[in-house]
Amino acid sequence: MKIIFIAFILSKLIEVEVFDLIPQRENGYALVLKEINSNSLLLISIGENEGVSILRELNKMESKRPLTYELINNIIEKLGAKIEKVTIDKFENETFYANIHLKQGNRKIMIDSRPSDAINLAIRKKVKIYVEEKIFEKMKIELKEEEKKKEFKL
């Protein structure tokens, strides 16, 4: 019997958190993700509606009825699944790509997503957000000394 081993190189993931949202001149926001325990940042352009939705959640603004991301999370929950993590794992043609990692019983499901939608779901369920290391290292910027001292408030 011949045994063949196939080696998969697993990507290293860097954990990030939502650090800021900066309104852009034309429209939408720059979503600023910060590496945990670091001063490295990643900026992603997102749409206005997605940015406002992130702001609503981070500022604990409630709605009488479920809005889009609450609805999606409710559907996931009612189907017996949960979000395990969100990953931003591709950058191509000036566009970031993300995946929402679900677990439903023993079944693992990965759903292609825009980063803004994946992050909107993640912050509502308090699940971890990761960026693939190669992407983060290529696209990161460092927080300046004077900015490190400022207290962050969204």
Side-chain angles (χ1 to χ4, degrees):
M1 177 158 92
K2 190 176 189 180
I3 299 173
I4 300 172
F5 289 98
I6 300 173
F8 290 98
I9 299 173
L10 297 174
S11 313
K12 184 174 178 195
L13 298 173
I14 294 174
E15 186 179 352
V16 297
E17 62 187 345
V18 175
F19 183 72
D20 202 357
L21 276 165
I22 303 167
Q24 294 182 324
R25 276 185 226 163
E26 298 192 11
N27 68 8
Y29 290 86
L31 172 62
V32 183
L33 301 175
K34 181 181 173 295
E35 181 179 7
I36 302 292
N37 301 320
S38 168
N39 292 310
S40 298
L41 306 174
L42 178 68
L43 276 65
I44 299 176
S45 290
I46 64 172
E48 187 168 342
N49 291 337
E50 294 79 11
V52 168
S53 188
I54 289 171
L55 286 171
R56 286 181 61 84
E57 178 62 22
L58 295 177
N59 289 306
K60 303 295 179 208
M61 298 171 68
E62 294 187 19
S63 174
K64 291 180 182 180
R65 301 287 299 141
L67 298 177
T68 303
Y69 298 108
E70 289 85 9
L71 173 64
I72 293 169
N73 275 328
N74 288 342
I75 292 168
I76 291 168
E77 190 175 296
K78 294 288 183 188
L79 291 172
K82 69 175 190 170
I83 301 173
E84 290 193 311
K85 66 183 173 188
V86 162
T87 58
I88 299 168
D89 45 24
K90 185 176 172 185
F91 183 75
E92 187 175 278
N93 298 324
E94 302 299 312
T95 302
F96 287 96
Y97 293 80
N99 278 292
I100 302 164
H101 298 257
L102 302 176
K103 185 170 184 182
Q104 185 185 44
N106 292 329
R107 185 175 172 209
K108 292 191 180 252
I109 305 164
M110 195 164 67
I111 300 173
D112 180 38
S113 174
R114 297 182 303 178
S116 57
D117 294 327
I119 290 169
N120 259 298
L121 294 173
I123 62 174
R124 284 165 171 76
K125 288 297 182 180
K126 309 221 180 333
V127 299
K128 293 184 178 184
I129 303 165
Y130 296 95
V131 178
E132 202 278 327
E133 182 181 41
K134 288 179 186 174
I135 295 169
F136 193 85
E137 292 301 318
K138 181 180 178 183
M139 306 295 291
K140 74 179 180 181
I141 59 172
E142 293 296 324
L143 196 60
K144 296 177 184 172
E145 271 310 309
E146 61 272 10
E147 293 170 330
K148 291 178 190 177
K149 297 174 185 170
K150 292 179 185 175
E151 185 176 328
F152 170 71
K153 290 183 182 174
L154 256 177

mmCIF file of all heavy atoms in Angstrom, residues 27-42:
data_model
loop_
_atom_site.group_PDB
_atom_site.id
_atom_site.type_symbol
_atom_site.label_atom_id
_atom_site.label_comp_id
_atom_site.label_asym_id
_atom_site.label_seq_id
_atom_site.Cartn_x
_atom_site.Cartn_y
_atom_site.Cartn_z
ATOM 1 N N ASN A 27 -17.655 59.002 -0.650
ATOM 2 C CA ASN A 27 -18.729 58.342 0.089
ATOM 3 C C ASN A 27 -18.152 57.132 0.790
ATOM 4 O O ASN A 27 -17.085 56.651 0.458
ATOM 5 C CB ASN A 27 -19.930 57.969 -0.794
ATOM 6 C CG ASN A 27 -19.624 56.887 -1.798
ATOM 7 O OD1 ASN A 27 -18.577 56.269 -1.790
ATOM 8 N ND2 ASN A 27 -20.560 56.645 -2.681
ATOM 9 N N GLY A 28 -18.858 56.654 1.765
ATOM 10 C CA GLY A 28 -18.399 55.500 2.503
ATOM 11 C C GLY A 28 -17.422 55.860 3.600
ATOM 12 O O GLY A 28 -17.287 57.024 3.994
ATOM 13 N N TYR A 29 -16.749 54.830 4.090
ATOM 14 C CA TYR A 29 -15.835 54.972 5.218
ATOM 15 C C TYR A 29 -14.554 54.207 4.948
ATOM 16 O O TYR A 29 -14.540 53.253 4.187
ATOM 17 C CB TYR A 29 -16.464 54.381 6.485
ATOM 18 C CG TYR A 29 -17.611 55.169 7.038
ATOM 19 C CD1 TYR A 29 -18.909 54.970 6.570
ATOM 20 C CD2 TYR A 29 -17.410 56.108 8.043
ATOM 21 C CE1 TYR A 29 -19.964 55.695 7.089
ATOM 22 C CE2 TYR A 29 -18.463 56.838 8.559
ATOM 23 C CZ TYR A 29 -19.741 56.623 8.083
ATOM 24 O OH TYR A 29 -20.789 57.337 8.595
ATOM 25 N N ALA A 30 -13.504 54.615 5.655
ATOM 26 C CA ALA A 30 -12.304 53.800 5.747
ATOM 27 C C ALA A 30 -12.440 53.061 7.075
ATOM 28 O O ALA A 30 -12.490 53.678 8.138
ATOM 29 C CB ALA A 30 -11.051 54.653 5.736
ATOM 30 N N LEU A 31 -12.558 51.758 7.010
ATOM 31 C CA LEU A 31 -12.631 50.925 8.203
ATOM 32 C C LEU A 31 -11.202 50.653 8.641
ATOM 33 O O LEU A 31 -10.395 50.151 7.862
ATOM 34 C CB LEU A 31 -13.351 49.612 7.886
ATOM 35 C CG LEU A 31 -13.358 48.538 8.977
ATOM 36 C CD1 LEU A 31 -14.079 49.026 10.224
ATOM 37 C CD2 LEU A 31 -14.003 47.271 8.448
ATOM 38 N N VAL A 32 -10.883 51.020 9.877
ATOM 39 C CA VAL A 32 -9.527 50.851 10.383
ATOM 40 C C VAL A 32 -9.522 49.654 11.329
ATOM 41 O O VAL A 32 -10.190 49.654 12.364
ATOM 42 C CB VAL A 32 -9.037 52.112 11.132
ATOM 43 C CG1 VAL A 32 -7.589 51.932 11.586
ATOM 44 C CG2 VAL A 32 -9.185 53.355 10.248
ATOM 45 N N LEU A 33 -8.756 48.637 10.947
ATOM 46 C CA LEU A 33 -8.580 47.456 11.780
ATOM 47 C C LEU A 33 -7.202 47.534 12.418
ATOM 48 O O LEU A 33 -6.226 47.887 11.758
ATOM 49 C CB LEU A 33 -8.698 46.183 10.939
ATOM 50 C CG LEU A 33 -10.018 45.988 10.201
ATOM 51 C CD1 LEU A 33 -9.952 44.751 9.315
ATOM 52 C CD2 LEU A 33 -11.174 45.889 11.182
ATOM 53 N N LYS A 34 -7.119 47.207 13.702
ATOM 54 C CA LYS A 34 -5.859 47.272 14.432
ATOM 55 C C LYS A 34 -5.474 45.882 14.896
ATOM 56 O O LYS A 34 -6.310 45.155 15.446
ATOM 57 C CB LYS A 34 -6.000 48.202 15.630
ATOM 58 C CG LYS A 34 -4.732 48.369 16.458
ATOM 59 C CD LYS A 34 -5.001 49.295 17.644
ATOM 60 C CE LYS A 34 -3.816 49.355 18.566
ATOM 61 N NZ LYS A 34 -3.503 48.086 19.215
ATOM 62 N N GLU A 35 -4.214 45.527 14.683
ATOM 63 C CA GLU A 35 -3.720 44.249 15.168
ATOM 64 C C GLU A 35 -3.758 44.248 16.696
ATOM 65 O O GLU A 35 -3.374 45.223 17.336
ATOM 66 C CB GLU A 35 -2.293 44.011 14.675
ATOM 67 C CG GLU A 35 -1.714 42.684 15.121
ATOM 68 C CD GLU A 35 -0.294 42.441 14.614
ATOM 69 O OE1 GLU A 35 0.313 43.343 14.015
ATOM 70 O OE2 GLU A 35 0.196 41.320 14.837
ATOM 71 N N ILE A 36 -4.234 43.153 17.280
ATOM 72 C CA ILE A 36 -4.272 43.016 18.731
ATOM 73 C C ILE A 36 -2.832 43.080 19.263
ATOM 74 O O ILE A 36 -1.936 42.469 18.701
ATOM 75 C CB ILE A 36 -4.937 41.671 19.140
ATOM 76 C CG1 ILE A 36 -6.353 41.562 18.570
ATOM 77 C CG2 ILE A 36 -4.919 41.476 20.655
ATOM 78 C CD1 ILE A 36 -7.376 42.501 19.128
ATOM 79 N N ASN A 37 -2.624 43.827 20.348
ATOM 80 C CA ASN A 37 -1.306 43.970 20.995
ATOM 81 C C ASN A 37 -0.240 44.525 20.063
ATOM 82 O O ASN A 37 0.921 44.128 20.137
ATOM 83 C CB ASN A 37 -0.837 42.631 21.590
ATOM 84 C CG ASN A 37 -1.814 42.104 22.615
ATOM 85 O OD1 ASN A 37 -2.356 42.865 23.411
ATOM 86 N ND2 ASN A 37 -2.061 40.815 22.587
ATOM 87 N N SER A 38 -0.617 45.422 19.175
ATOM 88 C CA SER A 38 0.324 46.019 18.243
ATOM 89 C C SER A 38 -0.193 47.400 17.855
ATOM 90 O O SER A 38 -1.320 47.764 18.186
ATOM 91 C CB SER A 38 0.440 45.139 17.002
ATOM 92 O OG SER A 38 1.112 45.804 15.963
ATOM 93 N N ASN A 39 0.615 48.143 17.156
ATOM 94 C CA ASN A 39 0.190 49.449 16.647
ATOM 95 C C ASN A 39 0.050 49.428 15.129
ATOM 96 O O ASN A 39 0.040 50.469 14.493
ATOM 97 C CB ASN A 39 1.180 50.527 17.079
ATOM 98 C CG ASN A 39 1.122 50.751 18.572
ATOM 99 O OD1 ASN A 39 0.056 50.935 19.141
ATOM 100 N ND2 ASN A 39 2.266 50.689 19.221
ATOM 101 N N SER A 40 -0.073 48.245 14.553
ATOM 102 C CA SER A 40 -0.225 48.094 13.114
ATOM 103 C C SER A 40 -1.695 48.161 12.739
ATOM 104 O O SER A 40 -2.543 47.550 13.397
ATOM 105 C CB SER A 40 0.359 46.760 12.652
ATOM 106 O OG SER A 40 1.737 46.704 12.933
ATOM 107 N N LEU A 41 -1.962 48.916 11.675
ATOM 108 C CA LEU A 41 -3.340 49.137 11.223
ATOM 109 C C LEU A 41 -3.520 48.674 9.786
ATOM 110 O O LEU A 41 -2.572 48.668 9.000
ATOM 111 C CB LEU A 41 -3.679 50.629 11.294
ATOM 112 C CG LEU A 41 -3.460 51.348 12.611
ATOM 113 C CD1 LEU A 41 -3.706 52.841 12.441
ATOM 114 C CD2 LEU A 41 -4.352 50.778 13.694
ATOM 115 N N LEU A 42 -4.752 48.339 9.452
ATOM 116 C CA LEU A 42 -5.131 47.999 8.084
ATOM 117 C C LEU A 42 -6.377 48.806 7.753
ATOM 118 O O LEU A 42 -7.345 48.787 8.518
ATOM 119 C CB LEU A 42 -5.423 46.499 7.965
ATOM 120 C CG LEU A 42 -5.868 46.007 6.594
ATOM 121 C CD1 LEU A 42 -4.714 46.113 5.591
ATOM 122 C CD2 LEU A 42 -6.360 44.569 6.676
#
